[in-house]
């Protein structure tokens, strides 16, 4: 169950995207944040005001999730992708990608160019981005021209060789003069590869070169030139925040990464569709300490892709697995087309795998915190109770409660907590058979006698069949019985156990005048308990659960009795005929005034059923107008 305050406490101080869900698990809002912890917590602070629309949205939030990124820029692009994918109710819809600029390298041309583009097409070109600063993109393209001397003209080569005079860029030594035919395609291609390497993130050599030139210009007192280099360095750094959230090839792929700690592991899967990261999912695995990452990845791929209907063309992993060829062949067979397992070593794909691994590690760490906290609420609480009662250990506890209204339809409930958690499969409810009137002690005696008497008989039957003591529903006896009450209820339980020759500790959960638990009654004395301890909280949870279970059963029996009709007592009339009669006649008086033939004409009625009803309606009446039974 989603615990808001617990999940808010887990939020990291990192950039990322958060997704708000309503009670139907529908995504109603997607947002980005420079600091997830600060931004998401703001929504749930009473003093924070973001307007009527956001306030309405917050009231509908049932849970949230988040994806960590490496920069706010990445968060912005991922936010855009997710909004387009899920179209959340409270987001302003974005129409298309043209608000974001790309750098386009026209690899489909013999002599490629580096261009500014606001559209992302599936062609032979290669795209880098998207970016949020069009100015930084233009500066970077200009920088690439200055460093790698690539052409900017739109002429078609080699057809246009020698047909025009070289442009101004050639004379400014920013182009090697492709139009003159003086540079071979192979030599030009080396410059293109250098530009691609730079755009792929290997910008350190260029930055070092620019920094050296800036410092040299400053030493020579050419401050204007030094400022130009400084601005170019800023532009390169702005574009160096490479966008891992949108890929240039537009292909479908899954990014799979694993984080392991001891016997726990989490696998994070990023789903990239049409080149955009549109979602993620994480999966927990029970592993052994000695398991290798490659073995776990291979095991996960086999299990995950045997059940998912969508298998992408490429699956990126953080490291090599033992049998990639066999697994690729199996995946290809399931997909109906070739599937490739890739282990990226550099560039954006490698960084995306690292991001998936980072998110997996975060989920694993937070899950360990949750497990540790849960153990405090369960195992730790049991240890506290065992220490209070001077018992070596407690694993299984049973609690009982009685519910009635002035003795009407008295019921009993039995709830079971094992290792500090409700074991609902072992819950039992009892409809009292031997007690009438408001007699809680007598009712509890019957409930306990039936519960443990049944358990003793089941144990004996299982022993006779050589099946042991652990197979029947009642054969497992508790380490301690928790009674909802003090001395009186405890003594009733002890008397029943003594009659059945059972030795089980019995503890009373004593309440104060305000019906709040105040302590435990054990061995004829009341033991105070720290109301801030986990043991106290576990006791109150058991008490509340036993009470809830009894009340629900009693309410269901009352509901059934209240909808009982005199028609249910007449032979041949079931739910369908009863409904048809109640639809045809407004009450018993109209029904009594009808003839036998009219009753038989009601939809679904037979002659014998109509005859039984007619005779019932015309029997001698009591003084209150009801027929004598």
């Amino acid at each position: 169950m989603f615990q808001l305050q617990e999940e808010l406490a887990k939020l990291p101080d990192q950039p990322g995207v958060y997704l708000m869900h309503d009670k139907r698990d529908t995504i109603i809002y997607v947002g980005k944040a420079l600091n997830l912890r600060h931004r998401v917590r703001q929504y749930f602070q009473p003093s924070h005001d973001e307007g009527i629309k956001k306030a309405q949205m917050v009231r509908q939030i049932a849970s949230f999730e988040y994806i960590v990124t490496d920069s706010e820029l990445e968060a912005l692009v991922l936010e855009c992708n997710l909004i387009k994918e899920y179209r959340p109710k409270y987001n302003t819809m974005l129409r298309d990608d043209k608000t974001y600029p790309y750098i386009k390298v026209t690899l489909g041309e013999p002599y490629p160019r580096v261009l500014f583009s606001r559209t992302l097409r599936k062609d032979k070109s290669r795209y880098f981005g998207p970016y949020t600063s069009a100015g930084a993109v233009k500066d970077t393209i200009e920088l690439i021209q200055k460093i790698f001397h690539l052409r900017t003209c739109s002429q078609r080569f080699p057809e246009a060789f020698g047909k025009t005079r070289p442009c101004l860029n050639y004379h400014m030594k920013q182009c090697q003069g492709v139009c003159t035919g003086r540079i071979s395609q192979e030599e030009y291609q080396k410059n293109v590869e250098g530009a691609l390497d730079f755009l792929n993130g290997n910008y350190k050599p260029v930055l070092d070169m620019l920094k050296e030139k800036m410092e040299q210009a400053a030493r020579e007192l050419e401050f204007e030139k030094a400022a130009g280099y400084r601005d170019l360095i800023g532009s390169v750094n702005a574009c160096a925040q490479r966008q891992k959230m949108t890929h240039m090839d537009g292909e479908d792929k899954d990014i799979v990464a694993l984080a392991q700690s001891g016997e726990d592991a989490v696998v994070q899967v990023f789903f990239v569709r049409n080149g955009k990261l549109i979602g993620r999912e994480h999966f927990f695995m029970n592993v052994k300490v000695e398991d290798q990452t490659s073995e776990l990845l291979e095991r996960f791929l086999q299990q995950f892709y045997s059940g998912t209907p969508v298998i992408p063309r490429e699956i990126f992993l953080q490291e090599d697995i033992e049998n990639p060829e066999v697994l690729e062949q199996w995946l290809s067979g399931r997909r109906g087309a070739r599937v490739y397992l890739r282990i990226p070593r550099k560039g954006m794909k490698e960084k995306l795998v690292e991001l998936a691994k980072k998110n997996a590690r975060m989920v694993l760490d937070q899950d360990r915190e949750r497990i540790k906290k849960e153990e405090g609420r369960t195992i730790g609480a049991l240890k506290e109770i065992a220490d209070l009662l001077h018992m070596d250990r407690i694993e299984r506890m049973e609690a009982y409660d009685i519910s009635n209204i002035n003795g009407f339809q008295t019921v009993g409930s039995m709830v079971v907590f094992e290792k500090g958690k409700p074991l609902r499969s072992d819950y039992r409810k009892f409809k009292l058979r031997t007690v009438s009137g408001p007699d809680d002690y007598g009712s509890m005696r019957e409930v306990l006698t039936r519960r443990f008497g049944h358990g003793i008989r089941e144990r004996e039957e299982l022993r006779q069949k050589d099946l042991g003591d652990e197979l029947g529903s009642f054969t497992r006896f508790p380490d301690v019985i928790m009674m909802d009450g003090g001395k009186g209820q405890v003594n009733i339980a002890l008397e029943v156990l003594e009659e059945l020759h059972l030795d089980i500790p019995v503890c009373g959960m004593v309440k104060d005048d305000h019906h709040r638990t105040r302590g435990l009654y054990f061995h004829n004395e009341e033991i105070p308990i720290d109301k801030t301890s986990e043991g106290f909280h576990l006791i109150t949870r058991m008490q509340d659960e036993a009470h809830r279970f009894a009340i629900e059963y009693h309410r269901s029996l009352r509901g059934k009795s209240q909808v009982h009709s005199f028609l249910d007592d007449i032979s041949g009339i079931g739910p369908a005929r009863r409904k048809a009669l109640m639809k045809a006649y407004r009450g018993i008086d109209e029904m009594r005034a009808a003839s036998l033939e009219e009753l038989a004409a009601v939809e679904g009625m037979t002659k014998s059923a109509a005859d039984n009803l007619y005779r019932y309606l015309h029997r001698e009446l009591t003084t209150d107008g009801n027929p004598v039974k």
Side-chain angles (χ1 to χ4, degrees):
M1 184 176 177
F2 188 88
Q3 298 292 333
L4 178 63
Q5 295 304 321
E6 289 184 15
E7 296 303 322
L8 287 174
K10 295 177 185 177
L11 286 163
D13 294 311
Q14 297 184 44
V17 171
Y18 54 91
L19 299 89
M20 301 299 193
H21 296 250
D22 64 12
K23 62 183 179 181
R24 294 184 297 274
D25 205 32
T26 302
I27 295 173
I28 59 175
Y29 186 73
V30 175
K32 70 178 185 306
L34 177 61
N35 187 307
L36 284 166
R37 185 179 183 84
H38 293 166
R39 184 69 185 103
V40 177
R41 289 168 71 93
Q42 283 180 343
Y43 286 100
F44 304 98
Q45 294 173 356
S47 60
H48 188 68
D49 183 14
E50 293 201 48
I52 296 174
K53 182 178 178 182
K54 287 287 179 69
Q56 186 182 29
M57 182 265 291
V58 170
R59 287 195 294 270
Q60 297 185 39
I61 295 173
S63 63
F64 63 80
E65 61 175 316
Y66 54 88
I67 302 174
V68 172
T69 61
D70 283 338
S71 70
E72 188 180 19
L73 201 56
E74 292 175 3
L76 186 149
V77 179
L78 178 56
E79 177 196 33
C80 175
N81 294 345
L82 295 176
I83 288 173
K84 291 176 182 177
E85 177 69 18
Y86 296 110
R87 302 188 66 80
K89 178 180 178 180
Y90 289 97
N91 280 100
T92 301
M93 293 297 114
L94 303 178
R95 296 180 62 183
D96 52 35
D97 281 321
K98 66 184 179 183
T99 53
Y100 294 112
Y102 294 85
I103 294 177
K104 175 180 180 180
V105 184
T106 59
L107 296 180
E109 298 176 339
Y111 294 85
R113 295 169 290 162
V114 179
L115 306 175
F116 179 98
S117 175
R118 285 193 180 271
T119 56
L120 186 66
R121 294 193 176 95
K122 269 196 169 185
D123 52 21
K124 295 182 180 179
S125 299
R126 186 158 177 197
Y127 294 85
F128 295 84
Y131 305 96
T132 55
S133 172
V137 171
K138 292 174 181 177
D139 287 344
T140 302
I141 293 174
E142 183 181 344
L143 174 63
I144 289 173
Q145 307 299 343
K146 292 179 179 179
I147 298 172
F148 299 103
H149 310 300
L150 302 181
R151 71 186 183 99
T152 59
C153 61
S154 58
Q155 297 186 63
R156 296 175 61 88
F157 296 113
E159 295 90 335
F161 281 167
K163 294 184 179 180
T164 59
R165 292 192 305 172
C167 66
L168 186 61
N169 283 342
Y170 173 75
H171 296 291
M172 295 173 62
K173 298 184 178 179
Q174 290 187 16
C175 174
Q176 292 177 303
V178 176
C179 56
T180 65
R182 296 176 182 175
I183 180 171
S184 67
Q185 189 172 350
E186 292 76 15
E187 187 178 352
Y188 186 89
Q189 190 61 37
K190 289 180 181 178
N191 292 338
V192 173
E193 290 171 1
L196 290 172
D197 192 38
F198 172 76
L199 289 170
N200 268 318
N202 189 18
Y203 46 83
K204 189 176 183 301
V206 174
L207 285 173
D208 290 343
M209 179 267 292
L210 290 173
K211 186 177 179 181
E212 183 181 341
K213 289 187 174 184
M214 179 182 70
E215 291 173 350
Q216 182 180 350
R219 285 195 299 269
E220 296 173 357
L221 304 181
E222 296 181 347
F223 299 117
E224 187 175 345
K225 185 183 290 187
Y229 287 126
R230 179 203 60 199
D231 294 341
L232 286 174
I233 289 173
S235 297
V236 172
N237 283 327
C239 282
Q241 291 188 34
R242 193 64 58 236
Q243 304 311 308
K244 297 188 281 290
M245 300 305 129
T246 299
H247 282 265
M248 318 85 204
D249 53 17
E251 292 287 347
D252 291 352
K253 54 177 67 69
D254 286 351
I255 315 295
V256 182
L258 177 143
Q260 181 183 2
S261 178
E263 295 184 349
D264 297 311
V266 169
V267 179
Q268 185 83 217
V269 183
F270 283 171
F271 303 108
V272 178
R273 299 296 178 261
N274 295 320
K276 296 179 181 179
L277 177 60
I278 63 166
R280 59 89 185 260
E281 194 69 64
H282 61 262
F283 303 87
F284 292 94
M285 297 181 71
N286 293 322
V287 301
K288 296 179 181 178
V289 177
E290 62 271 17
D291 285 343
Q292 300 296 315
T293 300
S294 58
E295 298 173 3
L296 296 176
L297 283 172
E298 185 169 0
R299 195 186 313 164
F300 172 80
L301 294 174
Q302 292 170 352
Q303 295 178 18
F304 178 68
Y305 289 108
S306 65
T308 182
V310 178
I311 300 178
R313 181 174 180 270
E314 293 181 306
I315 301 170
F316 290 100
L317 308 174
Q318 67 199 85
E319 63 178 65
D320 291 304
I321 59 175
E322 189 172 343
N323 300 301
E325 298 84 5
V326 176
L327 200 54
E328 280 183 347
Q329 186 177 359
W330 175 71
L331 289 168
S332 301
R334 293 207 74 246
R335 181 174 183 258
R338 184 67 191 273
V339 175
Y340 299 89
L341 298 178
R342 313 278 198 196
I343 296 86
R345 307 296 184 187
K346 61 180 182 178
M348 296 310 103
K349 293 171 183 175
E350 189 268 340
K351 291 181 180 179
L352 193 55
V353 171
E354 281 300 314
L355 187 64
K357 186 176 178 181
K358 180 179 178 181
N359 277 266
R361 171 59 59 184
M362 186 170 296
V363 171
L364 179 61
D365 291 343
Q366 290 181 353
D367 188 62
R368 284 212 308 271
E369 290 178 13
R370 180 187 60 78
I371 292 171
K372 187 176 180 180
K373 188 172 182 178
E374 183 66 21
E375 286 179 351
R377 295 177 68 247
T378 55
I379 305 300
L382 284 175
K383 189 176 185 307
E384 287 180 14
I385 297 171
D387 291 341
L388 279 171
L389 304 181
H390 302 291
M391 296 176 62
D392 293 335
R393 60 184 290 275
I394 296 176
E395 184 170 309
R396 180 184 174 100
M397 296 193 295
E398 293 180 3
Y400 296 84
D401 194 18
I402 301 296
S403 178
N404 64 67
I405 297 180
N406 295 325
F408 173 70
Q409 288 189 334
T410 303
V411 300
S413 69
M414 162 187 152
V415 299
V416 180
F417 275 54
E418 198 163 274
K419 295 182 179 179
K421 298 179 181 179
L423 186 63
R424 292 184 173 84
S425 60
D426 281 14
Y427 282 18
R428 294 293 181 268
K429 48 195 176 186
F430 303 84
K431 187 175 181 180
L432 275 293
R433 302 168 180 167
T434 62
V435 179
S436 60
D439 183 358
D440 284 354
Y441 287 170
S443 300
M444 187 59 72
R445 182 184 294 277
E446 179 183 333
V447 168
L448 293 173
T449 301
R450 286 168 58 184
R451 183 267 180 267
F452 288 104
H454 190 163
I456 291 170
R457 290 192 297 274
E458 254 188 19
R459 284 189 170 197
E460 186 59 34
E461 291 172 3
L462 293 171
R463 284 196 190 97
Q464 291 176 1
K465 298 176 182 178
D466 293 327
L467 294 176
D469 293 339
E470 301 299 327
L471 299 179
S473 59
F474 276 103
T475 54
R476 296 194 61 197
F477 289 169
D479 298 313
V480 62
I481 297 172
M482 307 296 287
M483 302 299 298
D484 186 29
K487 182 177 180 179
Q489 293 284 17
V490 170
N491 287 338
I492 290 294
L494 290 173
E495 288 174 11
V496 171
L497 294 174
E498 186 178 0
E499 291 170 4
L500 297 174
H501 307 292
L502 295 175
D503 183 17
I504 301 173
V506 181
C507 183
M509 299 178 287
V510 186
K511 293 183 178 180
D512 59 21
D513 295 337
H514 301 286
H515 210 66
R516 293 190 296 256
T517 306
R518 73 173 188 230
L520 300 176
Y521 184 82
F522 189 64
H523 288 170
N524 294 320
E525 64 175 314
E526 187 172 318
I527 304 171
I529 183 169
D530 181 4
K531 293 185 178 181
T532 64
S533 67
E534 292 294 351
F536 175 82
H537 295 318
L538 177 57
I539 289 168
T540 55
R541 286 199 299 274
M542 286 193 67
Q543 216 165 15
D544 293 342
E545 183 71 350
H547 188 61
R548 177 199 64 80
F549 194 51
I551 288 291
E552 283 188 359
Y553 182 39
H554 190 264
R555 188 179 293 126
S556 70
L557 292 180
R558 292 203 317 268
K560 290 177 182 177
S561 67
Q562 287 167 359
V563 298
H564 184 81
S565 167
F566 76 91
L567 294 171
D568 296 323
D569 298 327
I570 301 172
S571 176
I573 296 182
R577 288 173 182 168
R578 180 185 66 186
K579 186 176 180 181
L581 286 165
M582 293 176 72
K583 187 177 180 181
Y585 300 100
R586 286 182 294 182
I588 190 171
D589 292 335
E590 279 194 13
M591 216 176 288
R592 189 180 292 112
S595 66
L596 176 61
E597 291 74 16
E598 288 173 332
L599 292 174
V602 173
E603 182 183 0
M605 290 290 287
T606 62
K607 189 174 184 299
S608 62
D611 186 56
N612 291 339
L613 174 59
Y614 186 83
R615 284 190 288 108
Y616 183 93
L617 291 170
H618 292 83
R619 293 166 66 182
E620 181 183 353
L621 300 182
T622 63
T623 55
D624 61 2
N626 292 321
V628 177
K629 295 186 180 181

